[in-house]
Amino acid sequence: EVSSRSGGQTFLGRIVSTCRAAGVERVLVVVGHHREATEGAARDVSDRVVFNDDPDRGMGSSVRLGVRAIPGDAQSVLLWPVDSPGPTVATVTALLDEADRHPKSVVIPTDGSGGQGHPVVLPGTLLAAIASMDPSARLDHLIESSGTTTRLVATEDPTVCLDVDTPSDYEG
């Protein structure tokens, strides 16, 4: 989908552009549903594409596959669902800065009202556990059970909680 709200880019293109502008070194895209329609665009904008052949298992299965494809020396991972295209370069930079200051913590943005959103920075210390988690498991449950500290970053960016799953979400 192309939107004037996302600068004439696809949601994926906007997210990758924001990542690059914020200094993200490598971009990996996990493609699930609609592979035929999205594979080319994913390859055009990312460094690597991984395919989830059974995305109906849930987002955890895509996160697991993506983490498994990341080099073992990764200090952190910026997890960004494509249905949350709005956060700005300034927001992503603030999250990455917080992750640099607290490298063993999960970093989560909040909007002005305290709602938690995306993207989320996962510490390298959690990657092995994520790579071996059950594909249908929920990432938030794994984080909670690991005892990993969570750091909330207050932003004035209301788009961190934007979740575009339906046409009415998009139009709203």
Side-chain angles (χ1 to χ4, degrees), residues 13-118:
R14 184 184 185 319
I15 290 168
V16 172
S17 294
T18 302
C19 286
R20 302 272 190 218
V24 173
E25 292 177 24
R26 295 175 284 207
V27 175
L28 179 143
V29 175
V30 178
V31 173
H33 291 103
H34 312 290
R35 178 177 175 167
E36 297 79 25
T38 57
E39 179 177 359
R43 288 193 189 285
D44 287 346
V45 298
S46 68
D47 300 308
R48 183 159 183 206
V49 178
V50 174
F51 300 99
N52 184 349
D53 293 327
D54 192 6
D56 291 328
R57 290 180 295 181
M59 188 170 119
S61 66
S62 291
V63 172
R64 178 179 172 226
L65 287 169
V67 166
R68 285 181 166 186
I70 294 170
D73 64 345
Q75 299 298 309
S76 63
V77 171
L78 184 68
L79 175 64
W80 196 333
V82 76
D83 63 356
S84 182
T88 65
V89 173
T91 296
V92 174
T93 300
L95 296 171
L96 296 173
D97 289 347
E98 185 72 7
D100 284 346
R101 286 189 296 276
H102 303 280
K104 293 184 180 180
S105 297
V106 174
V107 178
I108 302 171
T110 63
D111 63 9
S113 66
Q116 296 180 20
H118 286 97

Side-chain angles (χ1 to χ4, degrees), residues 70-167:
I70 294 170
D73 64 345
Q75 299 298 309
S76 63
V77 171
L78 184 68
L79 175 64
W80 196 333
V82 76
D83 63 356
S84 182
T88 65
V89 173
T91 296
V92 174
T93 300
L95 296 171
L96 296 173
D97 289 347
E98 185 72 7
D100 284 346
R101 286 189 296 276
H102 303 280
K104 293 184 180 180
S105 297
V106 174
V107 178
I108 302 171
T110 63
D111 63 9
S113 66
Q116 296 180 20
H118 286 97
V120 172
V121 183
L122 302 171
T125 55
L126 269 183
L127 300 183
I130 294 169
S132 63
M133 76 181 194
D134 182 286
S136 62
R138 289 180 46 123
L139 181 60
D140 57 340
H141 294 164
L142 181 137
I143 292 168
E144 188 176 305
S145 67
S146 74
T148 302
T149 303
T150 300
R151 308 227 17 119
L152 300 179
V153 175
T155 74
E156 296 300 319
D157 187 344
T159 66
V160 298
C161 291
L162 177 66
D163 185 5
V164 183
D165 290 330
T166 66

